Amino acid sequence: MTDVAKRKDVAPAPLEWEYAPAPEARDIVRFEERYGLFVAGEHVDPKSGQWFATTSPASEEQLAEVALAGAEDVDLAVGAAREAYENGWSGLRPSERAKYLFRIARILQERSRELAVAESLDGGKPIKESRDVDLPLAAAHFFYYAGWADKLEYAFPNRRPRPLGVAGQIIPWNFPLLMLAWKIAPALAAGNTVVLKPAETTPLTALLFTDVCRQAELPPGVVNIITGDGSTGAHLVKHPDVNKIAFTGSTEVGKAIQRELAGTGTHLTLELGGKAANIVFDDCALDQAIEGIVNGIYFNQGHVCCAGSRLLVQESIYEPLVSKLKRRLTTLRVGDPLDKNTDVGAINSKAQLERIREFVASGTEEGAEIYQPPCRLPEKGYWFVPTVFTNVAQSSRIAQEEIFGPVLSVLTFRTPEEAVEKANNTAYGLSAGVWTEKGSRILWMTERLRAGVVWANTFNRFDPTSPFGGYKESGFGREGGRHGLEAYLTFD
Ligand code: NDP
């Protein structure tokens, strides 16, 4: 028996399992030693003369060197996008645009194993997630928007849609290729050209995507990829010839971008942080809810803007639920992202690991009770044990701020009214979850929850047809569905 199994508050695990290693072969992906910027269909050295290393967060090994785009490089990329927009793409027959998007979707499917391995190596997420979630969804977004490209007048009846022009797109490190797809697919379908900046710690799948564009024979300059750091993103935001900025990332940077663009006429959509309430009523299917809770917060190491990081449990089932949850945590496997049995991979960067540690220390200092299952972590790399805090005050930092790590805060409620009040007691409004067997209660809750997405008896489900976005400090604008197209169009 393990130490955990002996504890009174945790029911014993049914059996001890030892999993044999099941590594995904990494030789399917071969990185270049160095990647330049992708501008006008060519890989070019940066005018800035600067490069930086991208590393694997699981092993700390360097995977490649990547260009750091400065102001002049951003200017060249925007110029290439403008030229492609004026001299071809915006005037192309919509069914031709659709053809390119379909090709990209199919190539993503064909190369999905290679791209999934690259994603897990560069970002640290478990291969079963990049293989089964990120890649299929990225391809699905291109398929979905390919279908709309020649049907825009049906998507927006009685209105005459026109593209905006050049879109500057800035994406984070938690779903690198998927966020790329969320941004590029609707922009191109609507007839825009793009300059995309991936996050500093996860540039490699965006760079491999340049080869997908080449294979699809996408005209040069329609997609430009510029790697760099926050300063590169800031240059892109400030560029006077960009018609639209689409940003996904932290609320702090989102606010700075909004300030920068105020009064300029540049279109803007912001998809920012979250502190979602996952609300569990006493009539729910408890075992199913436990899986939903685990998926809600430990999926992708909790690096998920819509993660169910605040668990609201009805008091009458608090004890059995917490006991089952703790037991379930003892079965999560933390480790090598390329192992097919891994549930929780590496934390994306050292900086993010330090941020999580600091939050967890503040939770303990503020009087919450911490539970972490016994867990052997690899010696190298950045790791954090899946963590649950109980006895959490609503006002504490771990209940209010986005941790963006595998850390769950548990609070309780007695009535549906109290659940709504507590769930909405946040600066954010991106997502929420409701677990109950009563359909009427789901509808009652959904009407009252201030969240862009409300999942019922499930969590973290995504579909390209469904709009996604937030209220309050979670940003504005929607991605996905027809709403996602509208964000890249203007109307006569
Ligand atoms: P950022 O918001 O800094 O990063 C998001 C993207 O914006 C990256 O591509 C980043 O570039 C770029 N960027 C950074 N500064 C600027 C700027 N001034 N102008 C334009 N673009 C900029 O998030 P962090 O990576 O710093 O993460 C910090 C915290 O933010 C996390 O702990 C988490 O709480 C939250 N976060 C939330 C996300 C979400 O989807 N809700 C996603 C990512 C983070 P670069 O990577 O090169 O710095």
Side-chain angles (χ1 to χ4, degrees):
M1 291 247 281
T2 62
D3 289 347
V4 170
K6 277 185 223 151
R7 289 177 51 166
K8 282 198 185 120
D9 58 340
V10 185
L15 273 175
E16 297 276 337
W17 287 94
E18 277 299 329
Y19 282 78
E24 177 71 51
R26 69 171 277 179
D27 53 4
I28 189 162
V29 56
R30 205 165 293 142
F31 298 121
E32 309 278 333
E33 267 176 36
R34 233 184 194 199
Y35 288 92
L37 305 167
F38 186 64
V39 178
E42 304 280 339
H43 290 101
V44 296
D45 285 355
K47 300 280 181 210
S48 70
Q50 287 181 280
W51 303 82
F52 64 96
T54 184
T55 55
S56 152
S59 64
E60 299 176 51
E61 69 178 305
Q62 177 169 330
L63 297 171
E65 234 186 357
V66 177
L68 194 152
E72 202 183 337
D73 299 299
V74 172
D75 189 47
L76 287 171
V78 173
R82 175 62 57 194
E83 195 176 328
Y85 178 75
E86 303 288 352
N87 301 330
W89 189 251
S90 61
L92 201 65
R93 275 221 320 276
S95 57
E96 287 296 300
R97 285 207 305 271
K99 197 176 76 186
Y100 289 110
L101 292 174
F102 276 125
R103 278 190 196 159
I104 290 174
R106 280 197 300 268
I107 297 166
L108 287 178
Q109 286 185 323
E110 279 161 24
R111 295 178 63 171
S112 65
R113 208 173 127 232
E114 171 199 354
L115 289 162
V117 171
E119 198 74 304
S120 287
L121 277 170
D122 203 22
K125 63 173 64 195
I127 186 71
K128 71 177 176 194
E129 290 178 7
S130 36
R131 182 195 62 197
D132 297 346
V133 181
D134 297 59
L135 259 297
L137 273 175
H141 272 266
F142 278 98
F143 274 122
Y144 174 72
Y145 282 111
W148 275 124
D150 60 351
K151 300 176 197 69
L152 296 180
E153 66 268 40
Y154 301 104
F156 307 101
N158 304 319
R159 299 166 83 189
R160 290 191 40 214
R162 280 188 295 114
L164 298 172
V166 174
Q169 306 182 316
I170 301 168
I171 56 172
W173 39 261
N174 50 347
F175 294 93
L177 192 70
L178 184 57
M179 288 302 106
L180 173 150
W182 279 30
K183 298 267 181 294
I184 292 184
L188 298 196
N192 304 274
T193 56
V194 308
V195 177
L196 178 130
K197 192 203 94 64
E200 194 177 335
T201 57
T202 53
L204 289 178
T205 43
L207 291 165
L208 293 179
F209 182 77
T210 65
D211 195 43
V212 173
C213 295
R214 184 195 54 74
Q215 257 184 294
E217 296 176 4
L218 192 71
V222 172
V223 168
N224 303 275
I225 307 278
I226 49 166
T227 46
D229 60 11
S231 69
T232 310
H235 291 310
L236 186 57
V237 169
K238 284 191 190 119
H239 199 289
D241 202 27
V242 169
N243 303 100
K244 147 118 196 177
I245 290 290
F247 173 81
T248 300
S250 62
T251 297
E252 190 192 346
V253 174
K255 283 182 179 175
I257 292 175
Q258 192 176 12
R259 274 195 295 272
E260 183 69 40
L261 293 182
T264 63
T266 306
H267 294 253
L268 176 65
T269 43
L270 296 175
E271 203 268 86
L272 310 175
K275 193 75 191 174
N278 205 359
I279 306 164
V280 185
F281 285 94
D282 59 7
D283 64 347
C284 73
L286 194 52
D287 288 335
Q288 194 186 329
I290 295 289
E291 290 311 303
I293 295 163
V294 167
N295 175 45
I297 183 64
Y298 303 113
F299 169 64
N300 201 27
Q301 297 73 249
H303 302 330
V304 182
C305 48
C306 51
S309 52
R310 275 185 307 150
L311 178 65
L312 300 188
V313 184
Q314 196 155 24
E315 256 182 34
S316 43
I317 53 162
Y318 175 78
E319 274 169 21
L321 184 145
V322 169
S323 163
K324 272 178 186 273
L325 181 62
K326 287 179 176 175
R327 177 179 153 194
R328 178 68 176 90
L329 251 60
T330 64
T331 67
L332 288 180
R333 293 175 298 273
V334 183
D336 181 7
L338 282 192
D339 192 309
K340 291 169 204 146
N341 290 324
T342 292
D343 297 307
V344 179
I347 298 302
N348 183 265
S349 66
K350 196 164 180 225
Q352 189 60 24
L353 179 59
E354 277 159 17
R355 216 168 285 149
I356 296 167
R357 283 183 176 149
E358 201 257 318
F359 268 114
V360 167
S362 82
T364 316
E365 272 161 33
E366 288 187 282
E369 248 168 66
I370 189 169
Y371 173 77
Q372 293 177 315
C375 192
R376 261 196 311 272
L377 298 178
E379 274 167 23
K380 273 205 146 180
Y382 316 128
W383 310 94
F384 201 82
V385 180
T387 300
V388 175
F389 274 110
T390 49
N391 201 18
V392 179
Q394 274 198 84
S395 56
S396 68
R397 285 185 66 205
I398 56 168
Q400 288 294 331
E401 296 179 35
E402 184 178 49
I403 301 174
F404 227 60
V407 182
L408 179 67
S409 299
V410 186
L411 297 97
T412 58
F413 67 92
R414 290 182 187 168
T415 63
E417 289 78 6
E418 191 187 347
V420 169
E421 200 175 309
K422 285 188 168 166
N424 289 341
N425 180 16
T426 166
Y428 297 107
L430 194 54
S431 64
V434 179
W435 297 84
T436 171
E437 67 162 18
K438 292 190 182 65
S440 57
R441 181 177 279 163
I442 291 169
L443 297 174
W444 190 91
M445 293 292 291
T446 311
E447 275 178 2
R448 287 159 181 79
L449 290 169
R450 289 283 289 162
V453 180
V454 180
W455 284 292
N457 294 325
T458 187
F459 210 92
N460 274 342
R461 289 276 174 177
F462 305 97
D463 190 291
T465 65
S466 172
F468 182 90
Y471 289 106
K472 302 195 277 185
E473 297 211 357
S474 294
F476 49 79
R478 295 291 179 265
E479 295 184 294
R482 275 193 311 122
H483 302 65
L485 272 179
E486 196 168 1
Y488 287 96
L489 290 166
T490 182
F491 297 90
D492 290 332

